[in-house]
Amino acid sequence: ERSGSWREVNGLSGAPGEVRDSFQVLAIPQSSPQYAYLLLPNASAEETRAAAADSGMRIETNDEQSAAVSLPKQGVYAANLWQAGSAPRAGKAYVWSSAPAALVTKTGGGKLQISIAEPTQRAAALELRFNQAVKDVVSLAPGLTVVEKAPQLRLRVDTTAAAGASF
């Protein structure tokens, strides 16, 4: 059993009250960009064998700039940009961010869904550019602004007071 406040853990925000619970910390150091692993919580031995044979996941990048994966059959792309810069998809630059960012996109049915967070909680805003155009915007979370829809989607995210939450 461990105890402490979320504020003590991340040093930036969170409730100051003490939390007490039993949990484990898993840390797997990366030794090289070619090293990757897939966590399969509650997977049976058969499910683990099937995932080892074909996880359906493509590692897009795994370096000091970013880590990104895609699930092509599901239309899912996920990236952590460790610093300002870009991350590829299918061998081409796909997303650019003005600061560290975590994002997930899902395409399907003619729609693009995006979830974005600024996990360092240090930037007041993010500028993101996707190497993809959109025709219309169906819904937009508060704090998100569409700067441009074509030829590339450009977004501005006001992360002030977001405390690491996603948009």
Side-chain angles (χ1 to χ4, degrees):
E1 185 170 292
R2 297 175 76 177
S3 65
S5 74
W6 287 111
R7 185 167 295 166
E8 289 171 349
V9 171
N10 69 25
L12 296 172
S13 64
E18 184 175 274
V19 177
R20 202 176 270 285
D21 207 344
S22 296
F23 64 93
Q24 293 181 333
V25 175
L26 175 65
I28 303 173
Q30 286 185 252
S31 56
S32 76
Q34 293 78 31
Y35 180 78
Y37 54 90
L38 177 63
L39 299 178
L40 301 168
N42 299 317
S44 67
E46 185 177 318
E47 291 167 325
T48 302
R49 276 190 292 280
D54 179 13
S55 68
M57 180 178 67
R58 180 171 55 216
I59 297 171
E60 301 287 355
T61 187
N62 188 19
D63 59 25
E64 65 282 345
Q65 173 63 43
S66 60
V69 297
S70 63
L71 299 166
K73 290 180 184 175
Q74 290 87 356
V76 174
Y77 173 84
N80 283 314
L81 286 91
W82 311 123
Q83 54 194 332
S86 65
R89 183 176 193 176
K92 298 177 185 173
Y94 176 66
V95 63
W96 173 88
S97 179
S98 61
L103 61 100
V104 177
T105 68
K106 181 166 177 46
T107 54
K111 293 183 181 178
L112 170 65
Q113 297 173 309
I114 303 171
S115 181
I116 304 163
E118 194 285 291
T120 69
Q121 302 178 40
R122 293 187 182 109
L126 286 176
E127 296 272 341
L128 289 117
R129 185 175 65 236
F130 293 85
N131 193 12
Q132 178 172 350
V134 297
K135 185 177 178 180
D136 293 308
V137 176
V138 176
S139 66
L140 207 57
L144 274 175
T145 303
V146 176
V147 177
E148 184 176 48
K149 294 190 279 185
Q152 295 180 324
L153 175 61
R154 286 183 49 214
L155 301 173
R156 181 173 294 119
V157 186
D158 178 2
T159 58
T160 307
S166 62
F167 293 83

